[in-house]
Amino acid sequence: MEYENIVMNIIVNGGNARSHAMTAIQLAKSGKIEEAKKEIKEAEEDLAKAHEVQTQLIQDEASGNPKEVTLLMVHAQDHLMNAMTVKDLAQEFIDMYERQLKLERVLAR
């Protein structure tokens, strides 16, 4: 795979993961916890794809075949790290909204 395609793979999968995570937050906020959890799973799958590509680049470099660090690669890494952070926070939001819903059900009795 050409370097630009590798970098774009990281950007696309990172962006998709972030979108799934943001959707998960909105679903959880509206009480759709199970749907939110499915979105988190999708985010995790996209992150795994991006991370696999990133790992290959790291292994290549460790084997003596480094790639040029371009602004596009920096952008890709930024996308990936941002997506990972948003996914982690989305999971926290889901847990929080799920707990809130359970408490509201108890109080409504």
Side-chain angles (χ1 to χ4, degrees):
M1 189 183 298
E2 287 186 39
Y3 183 65
E4 289 79 17
N5 289 335
I6 292 169
V7 173
M8 290 306 295
N9 188 299
I10 295 171
I11 292 170
V12 167
N13 285 300
N16 288 345
R18 185 183 182 285
S19 293
H20 284 297
M22 292 302 295
T23 298
I25 292 170
Q26 293 305 312
L27 287 166
K29 186 177 181 179
S30 65
K32 299 175 182 174
I33 302 300
E34 292 309 312
E35 290 177 50
K37 289 178 180 181
K38 289 178 184 175
E39 288 291 328
I40 286 295
K41 292 274 188 217
E42 293 287 330
E44 289 170 349
E45 290 172 15
D46 287 328
L47 284 172
K49 291 175 191 173
H51 192 257
E52 184 179 322
V53 173
Q54 180 191 48
T55 299
Q56 185 59 53
L57 287 171
I58 292 168
Q59 289 173 345
D60 286 350
E61 185 168 324
S63 297
N65 187 21
K67 302 287 190 259
E68 179 184 359
V69 177
T70 64
L71 183 56
L72 190 60
M73 174 52 83
V74 171
H75 179 65
Q77 290 299 111
D78 184 45
H79 248 44
L80 180 55
M81 295 306 297
N82 186 32
M84 292 168 73
T85 301
V86 171
K87 195 276 301 177
D88 290 345
L89 289 172
Q91 184 61 62
E92 293 297 322
F93 273 98
I94 291 168
D95 294 345
M96 180 186 66
Y97 283 122
E98 185 174 32
R99 182 173 182 214
Q100 177 185 347
L101 284 170
K102 287 177 183 176
L103 288 172
E104 287 173 358
R105 287 183 193 129
V106 168
L107 293 174
R109 292 183 194 169

